[in-house]
Amino acid sequence: MLSKYRWWRDAVIYQVYVRSFLDSTGDGVGDLAGVRAGLPYLKKLGVDGIWLSPFYPSPQHDHGYDVADYCDVDPLFGDLAEFDLLMADARRLGVRVLLDIVPNHCSSEHPWFREALAAEPGSAARARFHFADGRGPEGAEPPNNWHSMFGGPAWTRVGDGQWHLHMFASEQPDWNWRNPEVGAEFDRVLRFWLDRGVDGFRIDVAAGLFKHPALPDSDDPEADARTRDSVNPLAWNQPEVHEVWRHWRAVCEEYTDRDGRERLLVGEVSVPTAREHALYVRPDELHQAFFFDLLSAPWDPGAFRKVISEAMQDIAGTGSTVTWVLNNHDQVRTVTRYGEPATEGSGLGAARARAAALLMLALPGAAYIYQGEELGLPEVVDLPDDVLTDPIFRRTGSRARIRDGCRVPLPWSGQASPFGFTSGAETARPWLPQPSYFAEYATDRALADTRSFWHLYRDGLQLRSSLPQLGEGTLRWLDTPPGVLAFERGDGLVCAVNFGTAPTPAPISGTPLLSSGPCPAGVLPGSTAAWWLADLRTAASQT
């Protein structure tokens, strides 16, 4: 029975991008039954829980992040009965389940938005969203100069001449959270899924929701939309959003008071500094929020030490724990991001990705693993234009920020696509094409090779759960040679990473407990991380 109180503080959660995990029906799209079939694999890996990407009814303009009904399952992925079976199996295996909830925007096919389109300007139906008159002759220009995060203007004109706001795709109208009906509706949504037994929610765009009430022009709209780390301050991080999270926290604690099982709220919070991030995880708000600075840090020991130190000071200082992440469904995979050519199975990028994984698992707090990360999958960078589905590509015509390359369906077995991803015929086509080199990363091959990424993650997770020095707590930096980062955890565990390519003396003399690559006693090879158990006085005297 799952009963560990405050389990989330040092949990390792596996992000399941449902449509790319495992297909049980042969239609080329992953589904909830596929997730259920993969639970034993995830249990064997050693994760504490899973986060499911949106599976709600949706026209799939943004692969489920355009929600038409927050309290059901899209037939593409199954139904509520299948969801209940998934929950039952997860509970039996001791795997917690988080749902992805999307409170900033919905689908243009949501019943309330359809009602708004049919209603008059100024009506109660339109007040649930952001409708406004245009500027210029006959209102032909948008109400302000804001840009969408997906490219282009943040406004679309409707049939009667008004405009509606969408900070993402035009098919994703933003909710107006200044309208109390919106908050009441999300109360209903939260309780619907909590009553079905979920362990919490990952909250999409958690720093969004509220817009400046006057909807004024931005000083630099193009910069605001350039990246998710450079967002429009008039549409992001407004002070009223914190009251929403206080209320949601109270709802979750109401359920915890009933059965002692704590429900988790973890937010996607894109704000410029760790100090602003910390405001979202105060004791009465979100339990945790993803700390993306580690993901975006360049491969440099000074950069890594800076972001880790700031997170430990500002975020952990609130009483929460840091939520570390290196990969997700919106980012280029580490193997490629750290320098790995997409068509090779070994090399610098892979070595750095292995080292970064071991570092992340040694840090105090929680960690999130994106599906395929444990296989060492590279980004698929050569998808042809005619198969791309990302609305960013559709709105901009540019491949610069598209996310399809990290969402290609997982390879499970075999030598050719669909690599066991779908239960259909060998000629079945996954919704995004898998490259032939995915054969080198298939799960069955990874499990059979003790040198694989999978075994590194599995061994790291096993040690993390068994060693009291790891998980929640603090760290102390060690003095190191240039290019090396090292810290102590608890009583005698040392983690060190060599960011350079040449070997250097190890901070601990003995054979490592675990390393990301071959690591002789007393030596830390280039692009390698290792853990040692040692007497702290010995560690200190050797650095």
Side-chain angles (χ1 to χ4, degrees):
M1 181 177 179
L2 298 174
S3 60
K4 182 186 175 187
Y5 194 66
R6 314 209 87 184
W7 57 271
W8 48 271
R9 296 184 65 84
D10 60 359
V12 177
I13 306 295
Y14 186 97
Q15 180 190 354
V16 176
Y17 195 70
V18 176
R19 65 186 296 120
S20 296
F21 185 71
L22 186 60
D23 169 27
S24 72
T25 63
D27 64 357
V29 178
D31 46 49
L32 293 181
V35 177
R36 186 157 67 97
L39 284 176
Y41 163 80
L42 297 176
K43 179 67 175 179
K44 185 174 183 179
L45 181 62
V47 299
D48 298 300
I50 59 174
W51 146 32
L52 300 175
S53 63
F55 52 77
Y56 317 109
S58 165
Q60 302 294 320
H61 291 294
D62 189 23
H63 297 320
Y65 285 92
D66 48 325
V67 181
D69 182 350
Y70 288 86
C71 295
D72 205 348
V73 176
D74 194 301
L76 184 67
F77 303 118
D79 54 27
L80 283 171
E82 184 60 49
F83 175 81
D84 290 340
L85 291 173
L86 170 59
M87 286 299 305
D89 281 6
R91 190 73 62 217
R92 177 177 55 81
L93 290 171
V95 176
R96 300 179 190 270
V97 178
L98 308 181
L99 302 193
D100 206 324
I101 192 166
V102 189
N104 180 72
H105 49 266
C106 65
S107 166
S108 55
E109 295 188 13
H110 190 284
W112 278 11
F113 191 72
R114 288 183 167 183
E115 181 184 353
L117 290 178
E120 297 287 329
S123 64
R126 289 202 173 182
R128 297 166 178 155
F129 302 91
H130 296 278
F131 280 85
D133 295 327
R135 300 190 292 194
E138 300 181 346
E141 297 297 323
N144 65 29
N145 65 352
W146 295 1
H147 279 225
S148 161
M149 300 293 289
F150 285 174
W155 295 89
T156 292
R157 202 172 194 188
V158 302
D160 57 24
Q162 279 204 311
W163 298 73
H164 80 83
L165 179 69
H166 51 87
M167 295 308 298
F168 295 90
S170 57
E171 298 89 355
Q172 294 170 292
D174 277 40
W175 291 108
N176 177 13
W177 272 85
R178 299 185 188 280
N179 185 325
E181 289 186 65
V182 175
E185 174 63 6
F186 275 92
D187 266 18
R188 182 183 74 87
V189 172
L190 290 179
R191 293 178 185 279
F192 177 87
W193 294 109
L194 289 169
D195 289 342
R196 297 191 97 89
V198 303
D199 295 286
F201 301 92
R202 177 266 185 186
I203 305 167
D204 189 58
V205 193
L209 277 62
F210 285 86
K211 280 65 180 172
H212 190 289
L215 300 176
D217 277 346
S218 169
D219 292 336
D220 189 359
E222 292 186 4
D224 292 338
R226 194 169 297 135
T227 71
R228 295 192 74 156
D229 296 320
S230 177
V231 292
N232 183 345
L234 300 170
W236 225 261
N237 204 23
Q238 295 287 301
E240 297 91 338
V241 75
H242 296 283
E243 288 304 315
V244 175
W245 307 139
R246 290 187 181 98
H247 178 69
W248 284 28
R249 178 70 173 257
V251 171
C252 288
E253 291 184 353
E254 175 188 326
Y255 281 79
T256 299
D257 289 343
R258 295 179 190 175
D259 59 15
R261 183 164 59 87
E262 194 158 21
R263 277 69 168 183
L264 169 65
L265 297 173
V266 56
E268 180 196 34
V269 173
S270 299
V271 290
T273 67
R275 184 165 297 177
E276 289 173 283
H277 180 116
L279 297 177
Y280 286 82
V281 293
R282 289 175 288 193
D284 61 343
E285 294 196 37
L286 302 178
H287 299 82
Q288 292 178 321
F290 295 114
F291 185 65
F292 294 122
D293 291 31
L294 188 66
L295 181 154
S296 59
W299 185 253
D300 174 80
F304 269 61
R305 177 166 177 163
K306 179 176 184 292
V307 299
I308 293 167
S309 296
E310 289 177 351
M312 293 301 299
Q313 174 181 312
D314 295 327
I315 299 170
T318 67
S320 180
T321 53
V322 185
T323 303
W324 308 101
V325 57
L326 290 169
N327 296 266
N328 66 33
H329 66 295
D330 288 329
Q331 303 292 334
V332 174
R333 289 185 179 273
T334 49
V335 171
T336 300
R337 197 168 73 240
Y338 291 149
E340 175 68 8
T343 56
E344 296 183 12
S346 61
L348 188 60
R352 289 173 170 177
R354 291 171 64 94
L358 213 53
L359 179 146
M360 178 181 72
L361 293 177
L363 291 172
Y368 278 65
I369 299 170
Y370 176 50
Q371 66 178 42
E373 179 180 340
E374 81 284 6
L375 301 176
L377 283 181
E379 187 84 355
V380 181
V381 298
D382 54 356
L383 292 168
D385 287 358
D386 61 355
V387 305
L388 296 178
T389 63
D390 194 325
I392 294 176
F393 180 71
R394 174 167 50 84
R395 289 180 62 86
T396 67
S398 170
R399 300 175 65 98
R401 294 166 51 205
I402 60 172
R403 302 161 295 170
D404 288 309
C406 66
R407 300 177 177 185
V408 174
L410 294 184
W412 289 87
S413 61
Q415 299 298 315
S417 183
F419 297 111
F421 165 71
T422 176
S423 61
E426 287 300 313
T427 56
R429 297 179 62 183
W431 70 278
L432 279 174
Q434 301 160 304
S436 60
Y437 61 79
F438 263 30
E440 299 298 317
Y441 301 91
T443 300
D444 61 349
R445 183 172 297 194
L447 266 65
D449 181 1
T450 58
R451 301 164 300 175
S452 70
F453 267 80
W454 191 91
H455 280 273
L456 177 70
Y457 273 81
R458 197 278 305 271
D459 293 348
L461 290 174
Q462 285 187 339
L463 287 171
R464 182 183 168 99
S465 66
S466 63
L467 293 175
Q469 295 93 332
L470 294 173
E472 186 180 355
T474 60
L475 63 77
R476 184 170 71 87
W477 295 108
L478 296 173
D479 294 331
T480 58
V484 176
L485 196 64
F487 54 84
E488 297 172 353
R489 293 296 321 278
D491 184 16
L493 189 135
V494 173
C495 173
V497 184
N498 183 354
F499 283 76
T501 56
T504 188
I508 301 297
S509 59
T511 301
L513 185 67
L514 181 64
S515 62
S516 63
C519 192
V523 177
L524 185 60
S527 306
T528 299
W531 296 352
W532 292 265
L533 281 174
D535 184 276
L536 291 181
R537 290 168 298 178
T538 302
S541 68
Q542 292 180 346
T543 59

